């Protein structure tokens, strides 16, 4: 579309990340009315190869694609600078004015960098990963700061290098794992991968887009440093106090230890990309974590403006076994659900909350093992005194933990090929009293599903 023109569209989505593209694709299924995507970059994130492990839990890949390759999608490549929520007008850097009836903000989040220096790398978008891969081959020692999914995956994927892993918690990957699961993975910290595991993928190149997350397939297989072997040193319950650079990068930790590294990888979380100039005297409600507040219909406090994905924070959602985490899976779910909400509100039809928000689910992999998280898998929000845990561990094969409250399963961690995900999902959703099944639930010699036939 040419510049300096006024554009009218029934539905407008801002953001080319997982939430934004999922929202646009879902809207095209609901309506034949105009749908417009505004993206800062011609390169967007598209979900592919979706595999459902249960009715709700799904794993998938994310591909970088050029907008020109996405069928039947109207778009402009521009940056939004302001919104008039009363007049329903969006203003862009290139002086375009877009009128909308329903608007969805899917601008994602930006990384929290330890320091804005070239030797501190924040892995958030494709460009930063490509830069990281271009310099890792000459490195002997790096420091990884952070304890989330990308930090954990990076520790596994890096080879031929010494890694100092700095975390604030008492065990690795505490956002996803309990102490038992962390111990299960401890034997794989120094596992070396062979060079034949390097994956070649076709990439599209374009301008950097703020807010768009990497997606679960963020790396290109194994990555190799310049060291003879692999050695992972974990510094628990500490943080970075100071970073400086002479020949090497010098990092002082709050526990008093000092390390010298080739560079630092900052994987310390994200901040919602919520910087919108509302030009009508009103303001958009922001939660304490920086996210745009949305109700159960993904609506903000401003009429006809919705939000989905990392940029939003859910408020007063009455889901007993679901909670928000800024994950790729939830970005996809929220984007699709926001499309449904926008359409049903527009046509003034009754709306029910999507079934996927009945149960928290996340499918990922750590250290080469499939990981499925269901419900309140770490007893989130529960009084630990009222919970009971059932655990089964087979070293090198699987780790299974069920969280029970009042003799009912409310959460599960499933690592490895357990084949228990459907059973666990059904037990959580149906809240079946398992008092008489306690001894059999995790017995590998008993097909527990026979009880429910």
């Amino acid at each position: 579309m040419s510049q300096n023109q006024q554009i009218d569209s029934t539905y407008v989505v801002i953001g080319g990340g997982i939430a934004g593209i999922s929202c646009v694709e879902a809207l095209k299924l609901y309506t034949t009315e105009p749908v417009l995507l505004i993206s800062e970059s011609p390169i967007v994130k598209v979900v592919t190869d979706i595999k459902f492990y249960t009715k709700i839990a799904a794993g998938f890949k994310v591909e970088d694609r050029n907008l020109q390759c996405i069928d039947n999608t109207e778009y402009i490549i521009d940056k939004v600078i302001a919104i008039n929520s009363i007049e329903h007008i969006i203003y862009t850097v290139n002086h375009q004015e877009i009128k909308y009836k329903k608007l969805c903000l899917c601008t994602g989040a930006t990384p929290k960098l330890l320091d804005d220096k070239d030797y501190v790398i924040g892995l958030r978008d494709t460009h930063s990963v490509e830069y990281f891969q271009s310099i890792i081959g000459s490195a002997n020692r790096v420091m990884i700061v952070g304890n989330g999914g990308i930090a954990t995956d990076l520790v596994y994927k890096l080879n031929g290098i010494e890694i100092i892993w700095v975390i604030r918690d008492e065990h690795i990957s505490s956002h996803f794992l309990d102490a038992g699961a962390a111990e299960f993975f401890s034997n794989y910290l120094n596992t070396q991968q062979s060079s034949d595991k390097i994956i070649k993928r076709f990439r599209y190149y374009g301008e950097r887009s703020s807010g768009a997350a990497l997606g679960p397939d963020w790396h290109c297989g194994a990555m190799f440093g310049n060291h003879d072997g692999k050695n992972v040193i974990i510094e628990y319950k500490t943080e970075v106090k100071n970073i400086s650079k002479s020949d090497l990068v010098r990092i002082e930790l709050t526990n008093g230890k000092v390390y010298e590294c080739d560079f630092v990888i900052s994987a310390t979380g994200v901040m919602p990309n919520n910087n919108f100039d509302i030009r009508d005297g009103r303001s958009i409600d922001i939660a304490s974590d920086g996210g745009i507040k949305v109700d159960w219909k993904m609506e903000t406090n401003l009429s006809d403006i919705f939000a989905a994905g990392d940029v939003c924070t859910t408020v007063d959602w009455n889901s007993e076994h679901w909670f928000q985490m800024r994950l790729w899976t939830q970005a996809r779910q929220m984007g699709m659900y926001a499309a449904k909400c926008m359409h049903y509100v527009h046509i003034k039809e009754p709306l029910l909350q999507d079934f996927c928000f009945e149960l928290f689910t996340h499918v990922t992999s750590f250290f080469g093992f499939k990981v499925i998280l269901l419900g309140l898998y770490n007893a989130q929000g529960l009084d630990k005194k009222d919970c009971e845990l059932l655990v089964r561990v087979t070293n090198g094969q699987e780790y299974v933990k069920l969280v029970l409250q009042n003799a009912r399963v409310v959460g599960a961690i499933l690592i490895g090929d357990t084949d228990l995900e459907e059973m666990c999902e059904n037990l959580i959703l149906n809240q079946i009293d398992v008092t008489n099944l306690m001894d059999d639930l995790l017995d590998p010699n008993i097909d527990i599903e026979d009880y429910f036939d």
Side-chain angles (χ1 to χ4, degrees):
M1 294 183 179
S2 61
Q3 296 183 6
N4 302 316
Q5 66 174 355
Q6 290 190 337
I7 303 167
D8 288 348
S9 185
T10 304
Y11 302 97
V12 176
V13 178
I14 302 175
I18 297 171
I21 298 302
S22 298
C23 184
V24 167
E25 291 183 335
L27 276 168
K28 290 188 294 184
L29 297 175
Y30 283 112
T31 181
T32 57
E33 294 194 60
V35 177
L36 176 68
L37 172 69
I38 304 176
S39 174
E40 292 183 24
S41 168
I43 311 306
V44 296
K45 304 291 183 181
V46 178
V47 171
T48 65
D49 299 332
I50 301 171
K51 179 181 178 181
F52 280 90
Y53 294 89
T54 68
K55 292 179 181 178
I56 301 177
F60 54 81
K61 295 180 180 179
V62 173
E63 293 183 1
D64 291 346
R65 288 190 184 171
N66 196 300
L67 276 168
Q68 294 178 342
C69 300
I70 301 179
D71 295 335
N72 303 316
T73 299
E74 292 291 322
Y75 64 88
I76 62 172
I77 300 169
D78 208 340
K79 182 176 181 178
V80 173
I81 57 173
I83 299 170
N84 186 317
S85 64
I86 296 176
E87 300 293 333
H88 287 45
I89 300 174
I90 301 164
Y91 303 92
T92 74
V93 166
N94 292 323
H95 309 292
Q96 298 191 93
E97 296 183 4
I98 300 102
K99 292 212 65 171
Y100 66 88
K101 293 181 180 178
K102 295 290 182 287
L103 168 64
C104 191
L105 308 175
C106 300
T107 49
T110 53
K112 299 176 183 176
L113 283 179
L114 291 168
D115 200 354
D116 188 17
K117 304 292 185 181
D118 57 2
Y119 48 82
V120 178
I121 302 170
L123 295 179
R124 181 61 186 172
D125 54 25
T126 303
H127 291 264
S128 61
V129 172
E130 288 165 352
Y131 171 69
F132 169 72
Q133 290 176 324
S134 72
I135 64 174
I136 189 62
S138 61
N140 292 300
R141 175 193 276 183
V142 298
M143 177 174 287
I144 298 174
V145 183
N147 201 19
I150 286 180
T152 304
D153 205 24
L154 189 58
V155 169
Y156 172 61
K157 290 296 180 183
L158 281 177
N159 299 270
I161 199 165
E162 185 173 2
I163 300 169
I164 313 300
W165 192 3
V166 177
I167 63 177
R168 294 186 299 178
D169 311 294
E170 296 181 350
H171 63 267
I172 65 170
S173 200
S174 60
H175 294 293
F176 301 98
L177 307 176
D178 61 3
E183 179 64 26
F184 175 84
F185 285 126
S186 63
N187 293 329
Y188 303 94
L189 287 169
N190 294 306
T191 301
Q192 285 266 86
Q193 298 181 65
S194 61
S195 58
D196 60 6
K197 289 189 177 181
I198 296 179
I199 302 169
K200 301 294 184 182
R201 290 191 301 160
F202 182 77
R203 287 188 180 276
Y204 293 101
Y205 292 86
E207 296 298 318
R208 183 184 304 270
S209 176
S210 63
L214 291 168
D217 189 29
W218 68 272
H219 52 77
C220 290
M223 293 173 279
F224 292 84
N226 194 37
H227 202 272
D228 290 336
K230 179 175 182 177
N231 183 37
V232 179
I233 300 170
I234 304 178
E235 292 289 348
Y236 295 98
K237 300 176 67 175
T238 189
E239 298 180 62
V240 172
K241 182 178 181 180
N242 185 57
I243 302 177
S244 59
K245 190 177 188 303
S246 53
D247 292 334
L248 293 171
V249 182
R250 185 179 185 275
I251 307 102
E252 181 182 356
L253 303 179
T254 54
N255 63 8
K257 294 185 180 181
V258 176
Y259 287 97
E260 289 188 336
C261 301
D262 293 286
F263 52 86
V264 179
I265 300 139
S266 177
T268 51
V270 297
M271 300 175 293
N273 193 25
N274 63 11
N275 188 23
F276 292 98
D277 178 14
I278 308 298
R279 289 186 177 174
D280 51 41
R282 299 194 291 179
S283 60
I284 199 163
D285 285 349
I286 303 296
S288 59
D289 65 356
I292 296 172
K293 291 183 180 180
V294 294
D295 62 16
W296 71 271
K297 292 187 290 185
M298 308 303 295
E299 291 184 296
T300 71
N301 64 302
L302 301 181
S303 58
D304 299 322
I305 298 182
F306 300 71
D310 286 359
V311 75
C312 78
T313 297
T314 59
V315 178
D316 297 328
W317 283 32
N318 297 317
S319 299
E320 187 176 358
H321 301 112
W322 183 90
F323 57 94
Q324 184 181 10
M325 287 181 72
R326 287 182 166 87
L327 301 167
W328 307 304
T329 46
Q330 288 195 358
R332 174 179 171 268
Q333 290 171 336
M334 285 184 175
M336 296 172 63
Y337 177 55
K340 177 181 178 181
C341 295
M342 293 167 72
H343 176 63
Y344 275 69
V345 170
H346 177 61
I347 64 174
K348 296 181 174 58
E349 289 288 335
L351 174 69
L352 296 176
Q353 191 171 58
D354 197 280
F355 183 65
C356 69
F357 299 110
E358 292 291 314
L359 177 68
F360 174 91
T361 64
H362 186 54
V363 179
T364 187
S365 64
F366 289 143
F367 300 97
F369 288 83
K370 178 178 68 179
V371 178
I372 297 180
L373 308 175
L374 300 173
L376 310 179
Y377 62 89
N378 265 338
Q380 287 91 346
L382 303 178
D383 187 340
K384 303 297 192 293
K385 297 178 182 179
D386 295 335
C387 294
E388 185 174 357
L389 304 180
L390 298 181
V391 179
R392 182 175 88 198
V393 183
T394 306
N395 287 334
Q397 295 185 32
E398 63 176 14
Y399 177 91
V400 177
K401 183 186 79 172
L402 304 185
V403 181
L404 290 85
Q405 185 182 46
N406 300 322
R408 289 166 172 80
V409 179
V410 295
I413 295 177
L414 307 173
I415 299 173
D417 295 320
T418 67
D419 293 326
L420 294 175
E421 49 266 25
E422 286 194 75
M423 179 199 76
C424 291
E425 180 178 272
N426 290 332
L427 288 176
I428 298 171
L429 290 173
N430 297 324
Q431 285 297 280
I432 298 171
D433 190 322
V434 295
T435 301
N436 297 324
L437 302 176
M438 291 288 196
D439 296 332
D440 298 333
L441 271 179
L442 295 185
D443 188 333
N445 299 312
I446 296 176
D447 187 354
I448 198 68
E449 293 186 0
D450 289 346
Y451 283 95
F452 309 111
D453 289 342

